[in-house]
Amino acid sequence: MADSHNSSSLNSDHSEGKIVLSNLGDNETVHQRCLLLKGSIVSRDPIDNQISISTLDEFKNVIFPEQRWPVHSSSFKALVFLAPGENIISFRKAGTDNGEVTRKRTVTYVPSQAPPLHLAIMVAKDSLLEMDCPPNKPADLHASLDAAVAKFRLAAYMWQAMTAEDMRMKGLGRRSFALEEEMDVDTVSSNLNHSKHSTAKVHIIRSEKTLAELRDPEVAQQNQAASNSGRQELHPIFSDAIRAHGNPFPTSGGGSDACIIAGLILDSHYSSSQDLILAHAALGGASLGIFGSHTCWSWPRSIEEVSSCLLDNTPSDPSVGNDCGECGTAWEACAIGQGAFLHEVGHAFGCAHTSGIMMRGYARDWVKHFVPRVASGVHPRAVEGAVIEGVTKNDAVWDFGDALRFRLHPHFKLPSDPPVDSHSLYECPTVDIRSGDDQHATLHISCSAGLARIAFSQTVEASPTPQMPTESREYNLAELATRFKRDEPLRLVVFGMNGKEKVVGDVWSLQSLRARSSSVRVPGSDLVLKKRSVKSYYLEAHEHDPEHQYWEWSALFIERGQNGKRKLLMTFFPVSHATAFDMRIGCILDGGVLYYDDNHHTHLGPRFKKDGSKQKFGGHLSQKLLLSANITKVEVHRSNDLMGIRTHLSDGTVAGELNEDNLQLGASIITLEPSSPDERIIGFFGRSDWDRGFNGIQEFGIILAPKLEDGKELPETIYDLSELQNTDGGGVWKVKPHLDKFSLRTMLRRLLCVGK
């Protein structure tokens, strides 16, 4: 398969007037029906014209009606629909004498056998079966249910083609999701004369809700006066309709890993009196992405309308909703509608708000995939002008990490892909400093799934790449110092081939951080305490990223006063012993509490929230273990978060909840215990989220000390070490410099408090 980004390798003839294709070689095999092509016409002066594209089979039968596409500044974009088997694609310049073919490509289309993306339109049980439409467009052609089906079908093929090209450009092969198809009257071309072809199936899903219920302002997502739960309600309503519809959809939920659905709400309507788009929500998750039909008036119905719709700068009529204030012209409405809908489908595929399409990069840039220029728009950032491949910025692309994850997703599987190793799905890249002096210390980067990209301070290294991954790379720190300034933070971003990302805020500080995290040297003695832990996949990706804040905590089984503090205003406290371990477990490992024989307790996690209020751990699966004997080992359920914990005592007592029913693909149960009989566990340490979600534990570890002869005790200085106490404060002084006086006073009291 030819995936070169260099057009010169795909076209040997660059004589005047010849058509050059930049993204398709001859005799390629593809696995999606709709193909996005890019190219140019060789010319001394820029050409503004058209090219025509025809598609024949090996017997010279017409596969698809001839299409014309605009050429601007000698460049063009085109969509080509293929039929299974051999497709001979011919390119001609408009006005070429005697119909001279100036470029030809043979492409073999082998339909994907991967699970398809399903398309569904939900209608109210008393729906009028019509969409909003401005007066300058015929309602019978642009507002009917048939129009919705045609527009949705073509939009999905545009998503498919754009995704395949984006994946190719990222070095991941021309891969995309398939669409569920059936033999039906094909609407992707207005010149197919109502003939039947294998085309994308659009399910019509009837909801039990009435039109009035769907258009209730209390469930309109953009209604700021509605409740948060109400604004999310259209997603479960759509899920209920899918369950009721049945085959091919699961009856137990809105979607599943094998059934991902793009759902269009037909009955969306702009209420000018309320200045609100009703029956609309842009929501995605649980394998279902939904969007309203309020911008569909601007979408193309067929391939013949793609260029005209994406270049249409007609001002939007006040009778249709101006979604987010970014739909001032027809092409801008189309970009918002098709792009934002794909964003929600991205959520259905498991994407978070990362970058590109998943961070609204489509608003101004979606059209750049399909036309060679951008028309004038109303939005200040809508810049009119030519789209120059490789030069013009285009944020309507998939995040690099998401694209890598798609490579392993069942819906994006290519026939040539090897079997997926389930453990490689979750393995995060590791970054470490290998021992040595300043001149010989090395930065070691590795990932068992393979390394796809390494970037220092936004400078991407020439290798590895997705085409040529490697399991490890080493950099001499002294050599890095010749490339990057030592007195400035050196940010490192690493991607594994599984899409897992590792971010290090400053490579130069890693050496000191590593020393502090693996051991604690006790002052005034030769004693070194060891630390061993398990980290969530989320923390492994972000632990050295300054944009992610964590509360670091420690607690010894023997300590002075609450949170391990020894003195306050010259008052000294005797040591106390832990008597119980409360493991706070819900859907994740929320936190923990150690209780002591002097009636004080210490949190394993944040002691208070960012607003100064006390941190309370939830957990419907929590268990409190009386420490009747020594703790010998701890088991932790590791996934994207830490999901559960189980504690073992030397007398055989076992307590806790690992949440094994939620053991996902790639997750594992990790055991923390002494590495030899000469060690014992004397405490816990870890890191918890700070002002994120439940503030759950993202790293849980054990503190180990040598076993001592009978009658001997650990040095008293251990109980005074700040790194063995829960006094972190969540980095509050760095995170919240703008705290009001009340919150600062509250936090100071909690940092210094002793007792209950």
Side-chain angles (χ1 to χ4, degrees):
M1 182 181 293
D3 272 346
S4 173
H5 304 171
N6 187 343
S7 62
S8 62
S9 64
L10 303 178
N11 306 272
S12 57
D13 186 357
H14 285 71
S15 57
E16 181 76 12
K18 291 297 182 180
I19 293 175
V20 176
L21 294 176
S22 61
N23 70 333
L24 182 68
D26 203 14
N27 297 311
E28 285 198 38
T29 297
V30 301
H31 301 282
Q32 83 268 5
R33 185 190 180 200
C34 189
L35 192 62
L36 174 61
L37 299 182
K38 300 182 294 189
S40 60
I41 299 176
V42 179
S43 176
R44 299 183 194 88
D45 301 311
I47 296 175
D48 289 348
N49 204 323
Q50 287 185 325
I51 62 163
S52 64
I53 300 177
S54 60
T55 311
L56 309 177
D57 65 16
E58 57 186 314
F59 304 107
K60 298 187 178 180
N61 298 311
V62 174
I63 288 177
F64 199 79
E66 183 173 301
Q67 300 297 318
R68 289 201 166 200
W69 294 88
V71 177
H72 181 73
S73 295
S74 302
S75 296
F76 66 87
K77 311 284 181 75
L79 290 171
V80 175
F81 279 86
L82 306 173
E86 188 173 285
N87 295 255
I88 302 171
I89 307 171
S90 299
F91 301 81
R92 296 178 177 85
K93 285 193 306 177
T96 301
D97 293 339
N98 302 321
E100 179 190 354
V101 175
T102 58
R103 185 63 62 191
K104 185 181 289 187
R105 285 287 183 268
T106 299
V107 179
T108 301
Y109 168 39
V110 178
S112 172
Q113 299 304 306
L117 173 68
H118 297 272
L119 310 180
I121 297 178
M122 183 181 74
V123 301
K125 66 179 181 181
D126 58 347
S127 174
L128 301 176
L129 301 182
E130 60 185 25
M131 303 181 291
D132 283 0
C133 186
N136 64 311
K137 291 213 170 193
D140 59 331
L141 299 180
H142 291 276
S144 66
L145 177 60
D146 286 344
V149 169
K151 289 167 179 275
F152 191 10
R153 174 180 288 136
L154 186 64
Y157 277 120
M158 292 169 70
W159 294 343
Q160 180 190 73
M162 168 266 153
T163 296
E165 175 60 12
D166 185 34
M167 296 289 279
R168 186 197 72 85
M169 289 292 293
K170 287 178 166 66
L172 297 168
R174 199 189 301 273
R175 68 176 73 228
S176 188
F177 48 81
L179 296 171
E180 180 192 9
E181 295 182 334
E182 65 174 356
M183 289 298 295
D184 198 359
V185 174
D186 202 355
T187 60
V188 295
S189 171
S190 59
N191 295 322
L192 285 172
N193 300 319
H194 303 287
S195 58
K196 288 190 174 183
H197 297 267
S198 180
T199 193
K201 179 177 179 61
V202 181
H203 297 266
I204 308 302
I205 308 293
R206 182 76 63 171
S207 173
E208 286 301 309
K209 300 293 184 180
T210 65
L211 190 62
E213 288 174 314
L214 291 182
R215 290 182 176 177
D216 183 351
E218 293 302 310
V219 300
Q221 186 191 32
Q222 296 179 358
N223 183 6
Q224 299 300 317
S227 66
N228 286 335
S229 59
R231 293 164 63 191
Q232 311 293 314
E233 188 61 24
L234 283 170
H235 194 276
I237 287 174
F238 209 123
S239 295
D240 290 343
I242 286 170
R243 282 195 296 270
H245 183 81
N247 189 52
F249 307 122
T251 58
S252 59
S256 69
D257 288 342
C259 188
I260 293 179
I261 305 162
L264 182 70
I265 305 170
L266 184 77
D267 297 299
S268 303
H269 171 65
Y270 174 63
S271 169
S272 57
S273 62
Q274 301 175 79
D275 191 22
L276 188 63
I277 303 171
L278 305 172
H280 160 61
L283 294 169
S287 301
L288 169 66
I290 67 171
F291 200 77
S293 65
H294 54 290
T295 64
C296 284
W297 61 269
S298 64
W299 298 11
R301 294 169 299 163
S302 65
I303 192 172
E304 287 81 9
E305 295 180 354
V306 169
S307 296
S308 59
C309 284
L310 299 187
L311 292 169
D312 186 358
N313 61 357
T314 303
S316 299
D317 191 82
S319 63
V320 293
N322 188 345
D323 197 339
C324 296
E326 296 182 300
C327 302
T329 61
W331 78 260
E332 289 172 293
C334 185
I336 288 292
Q338 292 186 331
F341 198 172
L342 181 58
H343 171 109
E344 302 310 328
V345 174
H347 284 313
F349 277 119
C351 300
H353 287 133
T354 46
S355 69
I357 288 169
M358 299 312 296
M359 280 296 282
R360 295 185 59 82
Y362 49 80
R364 255 68 58 191
D365 293 348
W366 175 249
V367 300
K368 296 176 183 176
H369 290 293
F370 308 102
V371 288
R373 67 179 180 89
V374 177
S376 61
V378 172
H379 196 280
R381 293 199 298 273
V383 180
E384 181 181 7
V387 178
I388 303 173
E389 198 66 28
V391 176
T392 304
K393 183 179 180 182
N394 189 343
D395 282 337
V397 294
W398 293 108
D399 175 78
F400 185 65
D402 289 337
L404 289 166
R405 285 185 285 275
F406 287 164
R407 188 183 69 91
L408 301 175
H409 196 289
H411 284 67
F412 291 79
K413 183 177 175 60
L414 294 178
S416 58
D417 288 344
V420 175
D421 177 5
S422 61
H423 291 289
S424 71
L425 291 174
Y426 284 87
E427 284 299 321
C428 190
T430 60
V431 178
D432 196 13
I433 299 292
R434 294 291 171 91
S435 59
D437 56 32
D438 287 344
Q439 291 299 315
H440 299 95
T442 58
L443 177 70
H444 184 79
I445 305 171
S446 63
C447 182
S448 61
L451 294 170
R453 177 187 288 178
I454 297 172
F456 292 101
S457 295
Q458 299 185 330
T459 300
V460 178
E461 298 291 284
S463 65
T465 64
Q467 300 100 316
M468 298 186 66
T470 181
E471 283 199 7
S472 64
R473 283 293 303 272
E474 278 198 347
Y475 295 88
N476 182 279
L477 289 184
E479 292 179 1
L480 282 177
T482 65
R483 296 173 52 193
F484 303 97
K485 294 180 180 179
R486 195 70 189 252
D487 58 353
E488 294 180 0
L490 179 57
R491 182 179 174 86
L492 170 65
V493 178
V494 182
F495 281 99
M497 285 296 292
N498 55 4
K500 292 295 181 181
E501 182 183 18
K502 178 76 171 181
V503 178
V504 177
D506 184 15
V507 169
W508 308 129
S509 65
L510 268 183
Q511 209 159 8
S512 58
L513 288 172
R514 178 177 177 269
R516 291 203 309 269
S517 63
S518 60
S519 63
V520 177
R521 183 172 295 278
V522 180
S525 73
D526 295 331
L527 182 63
V528 176
L529 306 179
K530 295 181 181 178
K531 301 167 78 174
R532 191 169 299 130
S533 70
V534 55
K535 302 172 185 176
S536 70
Y537 294 119
Y538 181 87
L539 176 62
E540 284 193 340
H542 302 289
E543 64 177 323
H544 300 302
D545 186 347
E547 295 181 5
H548 293 74
Q549 298 294 332
Y550 302 97
W551 181 297
E552 298 185 19
W553 52 266
S554 292
L556 298 178
F557 302 151
I558 301 175
E559 68 174 29
R560 304 184 194 274
Q562 181 163 311
N563 306 312
K565 292 191 72 63
R566 180 184 185 196
K567 58 187 179 180
L568 178 66
L569 301 178
M570 302 307 293
T571 300
F572 290 80
F573 295 88
V575 297
S576 55
H577 296 74
T579 58
F581 176 25
D582 189 3
M583 294 164 278
R584 307 302 301 177
I585 308 156
C587 58
I588 63 170
L589 179 55
D590 285 25
V593 184
L594 283 174
Y595 292 88
Y596 294 82
D597 56 14
D598 65 352
N599 294 323
H600 87 267
H601 62 269
T602 294
H603 274 189
L604 307 184
R607 291 163 46 207
F608 47 81
K609 300 178 182 177
K610 281 193 174 181
D611 62 3
S613 61
K614 186 177 181 180
Q615 172 72 41
K616 294 181 180 180
F617 299 121
H620 62 286
L621 299 174
S622 300
Q623 292 187 28
K624 191 173 183 179
L625 170 65
L626 296 179
L627 299 180
S628 57
N630 294 328
I631 295 176
T632 56
K633 68 178 179 180
V634 177
E635 296 173 282
V636 181
H637 176 172
R638 176 201 196 200
S639 186
N640 194 54
D641 292 292
L642 298 187
M643 308 297 292
I645 188 171
R646 188 159 57 198
T647 304
H648 298 250
L649 302 184
S650 56
D651 63 3
T653 303
V654 179
E657 174 57 56
L658 283 171
N659 258 329
E660 289 177 284
D661 291 342
N662 295 323
L663 195 65
Q664 299 174 345
L665 186 67
S668 56
I669 306 300
I670 306 295
T671 300
L672 299 172
E673 59 185 339
S675 57
S676 75
D678 298 327
E679 291 181 331
R680 58 178 173 142
I681 302 173
I682 65 167
F684 298 137
F685 76 98
R687 278 178 282 183
S688 299
D689 281 323
W690 179 232
D691 202 33
R692 172 182 175 265
F694 299 109
N695 283 344
I697 294 177
Q698 294 292 342
E699 177 183 18
F700 188 92
I702 57 175
I703 302 171
L704 299 164
K707 283 185 177 178
L708 301 177
E709 298 177 7
D710 291 342
K712 288 190 175 182
E713 299 288 343
L714 293 170
E716 286 270 322
T717 51
I718 284 181
Y719 310 120
D720 302 324
L721 294 176
S722 61
E723 59 261 51
L724 299 180
Q725 302 168 4
N726 189 352
T727 57
D728 176 68
V732 62
W733 317 118
K734 295 178 287 186
V735 178
K736 286 260 186 175
H738 59 281
L739 281 170
D740 57 45
K741 292 181 179 179
F742 172 79
S743 296
L744 282 171
R745 284 198 302 268
T746 304
M747 288 191 175
L748 279 170
R749 284 199 299 271
R750 294 197 179 279
L751 281 169
L752 297 173
C753 69
V754 175
K756 292 185 180 179

